[in-house]
Amino acid sequence: MQVISPNNVKIYNLSAGKSLPDWISDRKRRSLIKKDPELRDRIELIQDFDMPIVSNQVTISPDGQYIFASGVYKPRVKCFDVTQYSMKFERCFDSECIKYKILSDDYSKAVFLHNDRYVEFHAQYGKYYKIRIPKFGRDFDYNYSTCDLYFVGASNEIYRFNLEQGRFQTSLKSNCTEENNCCQFNPVHELFACGNTDGVVECWDPRAPKQIGILNCAIHSLFEDLSDKNAKCAITALKFRDGLNLAVGTSTGHILLYDIRSNRPLLVKDHRFELPIKDIQWHKESDLIFSIDKRVCKIWDRHTGKPYTSIEPGSGLNNICIVPDSGMIFMANEAPKVLVYYIPSIGPAPKWCSFLDNLTEELESNPTSTVYDDYKFLTKQELETLGLDNLIGTNVLRAYMHGYFVDIRLYKKAKLINEPFNFEEFKKRKIKEKLEKERENRVKVQRKLPLVNTELAKRIIEESEELKSKVKNKKPLFNPLEDKRFAELFTDPNYQIDMNSEEYKLLNPVVQKVNEKKLKKKVVENVAASEESEQEEESMSENSDDSGSESSSDDEHQWKQSVKEQYKQIQQEKRLKEKLEEKRKKQENIKQPKFYELKDGLDLYSTNSKSKNTSDILKNEKMKRLPMANRIQYLDDKNKNNSKFDELVFRSDSLGNKQMTFLSRKAKRNQDEERKTMQHHLERKDIRRSAGKITKTFKKNKSQFFKRK
């Protein structure tokens, strides 16, 4: 979709772009669309909206659902259904169609005037009837109240044909010497006006019928200071706006606006191409007038004549049609394609293609910067004045036509050096600095941040302020701080974001990358470039060929690396915590030596103990013979009544035999696994919630079916 902006008014050309021939196969068509970006990005609003060579006229049916277009060669008319975005039917003629008119609200009734004096009447199914007028026709119009067709052409007579009776009526004779070019009925009071080659507009009352008024629109009769007074001025187009306002186009390229109650024009507009005016259209919603000649379509204000914008397609124009209550225009021209333009500032898109409004809004909100925005075009003389002529032949300057493209930064620096005392620029810069200082001193509204998730709230506020400055629409932006659905996020401490959790740390590289980009933008905006010119020239010469060194693949690679490093760091912290816990538990489980104190007068295994059993005495005597370590071990085992799994037990007989029993220690790995499983079970017990409270609420409803009375 091509965008042009003459006089700072954006005009979207919907018919621009390459077109594919009809005779190629679907497979070839798909492959060409994939390869060529111009074919892929084009917008084909209506399918096959073209003619073989030339299009003569485009009109819309009164209900706004059908578009008619006529052209050559072969002479034909096409009808397009806007709801289907495609052609409904196509009908060919024996001769070229000069003018046609749709009589019904839809496509079912139409009249076609041909260049061989024939007039064809078409019904819904096709051609219905054919008549012939006495002279070659130029234009015609239809009177709905009397069912009369008025034809003007290569004579001074105005032919009338009544459709109700099916016969010609008495023709009207005008005062012109040669022929009449154009005609129209007033839509309010049905006054009939026709323009002739003498530069005169004649008005007729169809009820009488008789002539009731004459407007002399010849330019030489209106202005005395014209040099070429003998130039012939013919009326080539005329159009009524309402009951009083009339626009008249002449062969000299002038448009005259009249109030039919006066014989002097309200306004005279000159196209300045000295080409005859082909067609005029009023745009009632915006008070603009569309006038076309062979070269250009001019849009201007009807009160002041001030130009609004213009469209110059490059091919000869024949006819213009404005879609009612919208900013869309169709133009028939001397080329196969029927031109389609959309101007959002004049009106919205039609209902059947309302998606164009969304498209244009997206294009306006995201303007694409061109390559030439970063460069300045300078001629050789301008380079010499700036002192940059010694850079000719280097990578810094790119030769183009009669000059060179220079980096805009280098141009600004060189200009500051050569013109340090430019008073106007100095004045503007100082005013800008003062305004910025005043803005800083203004009272800033400080919002109270919530206690929960304060950093998140701060980030949301900053982003919303940035969006408000960028977006032009007055629609309220979504703010989760003001939304009741997200109130608990900033009030309930259970929703507090834990910065030390594993999930947050793994997501941290993504958040960090976004914050880094924002910081970079702020630094670039605030910090001015203060490097020396030589260093800048060297850097530009080195980096002129590959300006975009950073690519998306490098960013992805850096992001993956940062995520991996974060994951490694989390795993290392986990291992360290586990090791510290193990050390602490081992220190708690280490058995330290115990010391016992005996009473006065008693030995460890003396016979003076309270127990006077012979077995105890014998045991005491035997234990006296054992070493000290075995005695202590024996006492510890004795204190443990349920000690079935002693790791080490010594036994000895009176004959000197020794016996030792022990249990082998388990492998360290098995011990660690058992310990971890036990710890996991304990954690699960803490987390698990019993369903007792829920089951208590259930009522045990016994089935009544098997109950016996």
Side-chain angles (χ1 to χ4, degrees):
M1 187 165 60
Q2 188 181 0
V3 185
I4 54 174
S5 55
N7 204 14
N8 294 325
V9 177
K10 286 199 174 180
I11 303 169
Y12 296 88
N13 187 357
L14 305 178
S15 55
K18 293 181 180 178
S19 58
L20 293 169
D22 297 331
W23 45 265
I24 62 170
S25 62
D26 292 338
R27 188 175 179 182
K28 184 72 175 174
R29 190 186 292 269
R30 286 194 297 270
S31 64
L32 285 170
I33 289 167
K34 282 181 182 178
K35 289 176 185 177
D36 197 341
E38 288 185 14
L39 287 170
R40 193 168 56 249
D41 298 338
R42 67 178 179 156
I43 294 175
E44 195 174 5
L45 192 64
I46 300 171
Q47 193 176 3
D48 299 328
F49 196 43
D50 54 9
M51 286 289 155
I53 298 173
V54 173
S55 55
N56 293 329
Q57 188 184 353
V58 186
T59 53
I60 297 175
S61 61
D63 61 357
Q65 194 174 352
Y66 301 98
I67 301 169
F68 277 73
S70 64
V72 292
Y73 179 80
K74 297 179 179 180
R76 67 191 68 199
V77 65
K78 289 183 178 181
C79 178
F80 300 91
D81 190 348
V82 295
T83 56
Q84 302 297 324
Y85 302 101
S86 60
M87 187 171 68
K88 188 170 184 66
F89 63 82
E90 180 182 6
R91 294 171 187 169
C92 291
F93 303 120
D94 296 330
S95 58
E96 186 179 348
C97 177
I98 298 170
K99 184 78 181 285
Y100 63 86
K101 190 171 182 65
I102 304 163
L103 303 182
S104 61
D105 288 338
D106 55 0
Y107 67 94
S108 57
K109 293 177 185 178
V111 183
F112 298 90
L113 174 65
H114 297 283
N115 63 353
D116 58 352
R117 297 192 290 157
Y118 277 103
V119 179
E120 285 187 7
F121 298 91
H122 282 238
Q124 191 170 1
Y125 55 84
K127 190 169 78 172
Y128 174 73
Y129 198 72
K130 189 176 182 180
I131 63 169
R132 196 174 189 185
I133 56 176
K135 299 286 184 179
F136 291 99
R138 298 281 185 270
D139 197 2
F140 75 96
D141 202 2
Y142 180 67
N143 188 359
Y144 285 91
S145 61
T146 59
C147 299
D148 285 337
L149 281 170
Y150 282 54
F151 297 94
V152 297
S155 71
N156 63 345
E157 290 187 8
I158 301 166
Y159 304 109
R160 296 190 300 161
F161 185 82
N162 188 270
L163 297 184
E164 188 179 5
Q165 298 175 8
R167 65 185 182 86
F168 282 99
Q169 293 183 346
T170 307
S171 58
L172 307 176
K173 289 188 179 181
S174 66
N175 300 327
C176 70
T177 55
E178 293 183 10
E179 58 186 28
N180 294 307
N181 289 330
C182 53
C183 65
Q184 193 196 8
F185 277 100
N186 190 295
V188 179
H189 47 68
E190 295 181 346
L191 180 74
F192 180 73
C194 64
N196 53 43
T197 54
D198 298 334
V200 177
V201 176
E202 296 178 331
C203 298
W204 301 76
D205 186 358
R207 296 171 298 179
K210 64 178 181 179
Q211 191 183 78
I212 58 171
I214 294 173
L215 283 173
N216 190 0
C217 302
I219 296 296
H220 59 80
S221 65
L222 295 170
F223 302 102
E224 296 178 356
D225 56 346
L226 287 174
S227 58
D228 192 6
K229 290 187 178 181
N230 296 322
K232 193 175 181 181
C233 179
I235 306 299
T236 54
L238 57 88
K239 189 76 175 179
F240 281 104
R241 182 181 185 269
D242 47 30
L244 298 174
N245 293 301
L246 172 67
V248 179
T250 65
S251 58
T252 55
H254 294 83
I255 299 104
L256 293 85
L257 301 184
Y258 281 95
D259 187 333
I260 58 172
R261 295 171 295 184
S262 172
N263 59 356
R264 299 293 294 179
L266 300 172
L267 184 75
V268 178
K269 177 71 177 175
D270 190 1
H271 264 223
R272 300 189 183 279
F273 288 114
E274 296 182 357
L275 295 170
I277 303 299
K278 292 284 189 79
D279 198 3
I280 303 168
Q281 293 290 336
W282 298 79
H283 197 271
K284 294 182 181 179
E285 289 77 16
S286 58
D287 276 345
L288 295 173
I289 295 175
F290 290 71
S291 55
I292 63 165
D293 56 21
K294 193 176 181 180
R295 185 172 175 180
V296 69
C297 170
K298 290 200 172 185
I299 307 167
W300 44 282
D301 188 70
R302 77 180 185 92
H303 299 291
T304 59
K306 188 179 178 182
Y308 183 73
T309 187
S310 62
I311 303 168
E312 197 168 351
S315 57
L317 300 174
N318 293 325
N319 179 251
I320 186 170
C321 174
I322 302 170
V323 180
D325 303 324
S326 74
M328 185 169 284
I329 309 159
F330 300 128
M331 283 195 281
N333 62 334
E334 299 287 328
K337 275 190 178 180
V338 178
L339 300 175
V340 184
Y341 290 95
Y342 175 50
I343 309 172
S345 59
I346 290 174
K351 290 180 182 178
W352 50 272
C353 58
S354 57
F355 59 87
L356 285 175
D357 286 329
N358 298 329
L359 263 173
T360 52
E361 281 176 11
E362 285 177 11
L363 288 170
E364 285 177 4
S365 60
N366 301 319
T368 55
S369 59
T370 57
V371 179
Y372 297 102
D373 291 343
D374 299 329
Y375 291 90
K376 176 75 175 175
F377 182 78
L378 298 173
T379 60
K380 196 172 181 180
Q381 292 177 354
E382 289 173 344
L383 282 172
E384 287 174 359
T385 53
L386 292 170
L388 299 175
D389 53 341
N390 58 343
L391 298 174
I392 295 170
T394 61
N395 292 328
V396 179
L397 300 179
R398 293 294 177 93
Y400 182 75
M401 293 176 68
H402 62 285
Y404 301 89
F405 276 111
V406 191
D407 194 287
I408 194 71
R409 294 172 294 173
L410 177 61
Y411 168 73
K412 285 178 180 177
K413 191 159 280 189
K415 195 177 179 184
L416 282 171
I417 292 164
N418 286 318
E419 299 177 5
F421 303 109
N422 195 342
F423 181 71
E424 289 181 0
E425 289 184 3
F426 173 76
K427 192 177 177 182
K428 285 178 184 177
R429 194 164 60 249
K430 283 290 180 186
I431 290 164
K432 205 173 185 180
E433 287 174 2
K434 281 186 179 180
L435 287 170
E436 285 176 359
K437 283 181 182 178
E438 286 177 2
R439 283 170 190 162
E440 287 176 1
N441 295 329
R442 285 178 186 173
V443 178
K444 293 180 180 178
V445 179
Q446 293 182 352
R447 295 186 182 180
K448 288 183 180 180
L449 294 171
L451 297 172
V452 181
N453 293 327
T454 51
E455 290 185 2
L456 177 65
K458 198 187 289 182
R459 193 168 71 244
I460 288 165
I461 290 164
E462 287 176 1
E463 287 176 358
S464 63
E465 286 175 357
E466 285 179 6
L467 280 170
K468 278 180 185 177
S469 61
K470 288 179 182 177
V471 177
K472 296 178 182 178
N473 295 338
K474 296 180 181 179
K475 293 179 182 178
L477 297 169
F478 173 69
N479 191 358
L481 290 168
E482 297 173 358
D483 199 336
K484 293 179 182 178
R485 296 175 295 174
F486 302 97
E488 291 185 359
L489 185 64
F490 303 101
T491 55
D492 194 351
N494 292 325
Y495 290 104
Q496 178 68 41
I497 297 168
D498 188 8
M499 302 282 188
N500 298 320
S501 63
E502 292 179 19
E503 292 83 1
Y504 182 81
K505 285 180 180 177
L506 287 171
L507 287 168
N508 192 34
V510 182
V511 179
Q512 195 173 0
K513 189 181 177 185
V514 174
N515 293 332
E516 281 177 2
K517 283 184 179 178
K518 287 181 181 177
L519 284 169
K520 279 181 184 177
K521 280 183 183 178
K522 287 180 182 178
V523 169
V524 168
E525 288 173 0
N526 296 330
V527 177
S530 60
E531 296 178 356
E532 293 181 1
S533 60
E534 293 178 0
Q535 292 178 358
E536 191 173 3
E537 287 170 14
E538 289 175 3
S539 65
M540 280 190 289
S541 61
E542 289 174 1
N543 301 325
S544 61
D545 293 329
D546 49 354
S547 59
S549 59
E550 293 181 1
S551 61
S552 60
S553 59
D554 295 337
D555 293 339
E556 287 178 6
H557 183 66
Q558 288 175 3
W559 178 74
K560 284 178 184 177
Q561 261 186 336
S562 59
V563 171
K564 283 180 182 177
E565 287 174 2
Q566 194 73 25
Y567 182 74
K568 284 180 183 177
Q569 194 175 352
I570 291 164
Q571 293 298 325
Q572 286 176 1
E573 287 176 0
K574 263 189 180 181
R575 287 169 193 161
L576 281 169
K577 282 182 183 177
E578 287 177 358
K579 284 180 181 179
L580 289 169
E581 284 181 1
E582 285 178 5
K583 281 182 182 179
R584 185 174 57 76
K585 286 180 181 178
K586 280 181 181 178
Q587 286 176 1
E588 288 175 359
N589 294 331
I590 288 170
K591 292 182 179 180
Q592 295 179 356
K594 293 180 181 179
F595 296 96
Y596 298 94
E597 187 178 354
L598 294 172
K599 291 181 181 180
D600 295 335
L602 289 174
D603 294 331
L604 185 61
Y605 298 105
S606 64
T607 54
N608 297 326
S609 61
K610 291 180 182 179
S611 61
K612 294 182 179 181
N613 295 330
T614 54
S615 61
D616 293 336
I617 293 164
L618 287 170
K619 279 181 184 178
N620 289 337
E621 288 177 355
K622 285 178 182 179
M623 290 301 292
K624 284 180 182 178
R625 299 171 190 172
L626 291 173
M628 187 68 180
N630 293 341
R631 292 177 199 171
I632 292 164
Q633 184 68 35
Y634 177 75
L635 286 170
D636 290 337
D637 294 339
K638 193 176 180 183
N639 291 332
K640 294 175 184 178
N641 295 323
N642 298 324
S643 62
K644 295 179 181 180
F645 302 102
D646 294 336
E647 289 184 356
L648 185 64
V649 179
F650 290 98
R651 293 177 185 174
S652 60
D653 296 334
S654 60
L655 299 173
N657 295 329
K658 299 275 184 180
Q659 186 179 1
M660 183 175 67
T661 59
F662 66 92
L663 291 171
S664 61
R665 288 184 180 179
K666 291 180 181 179
K668 192 175 182 182
R669 189 182 295 171
N670 295 337
Q671 288 178 357
D672 291 340
E673 286 178 1
E674 284 179 3
R675 182 176 55 76
K676 284 179 181 177
T677 51
M678 287 292 290
Q679 191 176 357
H680 177 68
H681 284 307
L682 290 169
E683 286 175 358
R684 292 296 299 169
K685 278 182 183 179
D686 294 337
I687 295 165
R688 188 179 61 193
R689 294 183 295 176
S690 63
K693 292 180 181 179
I694 300 166
T695 52
K696 282 177 185 177
T697 56
F698 295 156
K699 292 180 181 179
K700 295 179 180 179
N701 297 322
K702 293 180 181 180
S703 58
Q704 301 290 331
F705 184 80
F706 294 102
K707 237 179 194 182
R708 293 180 182 177
K709 292 181 181 179

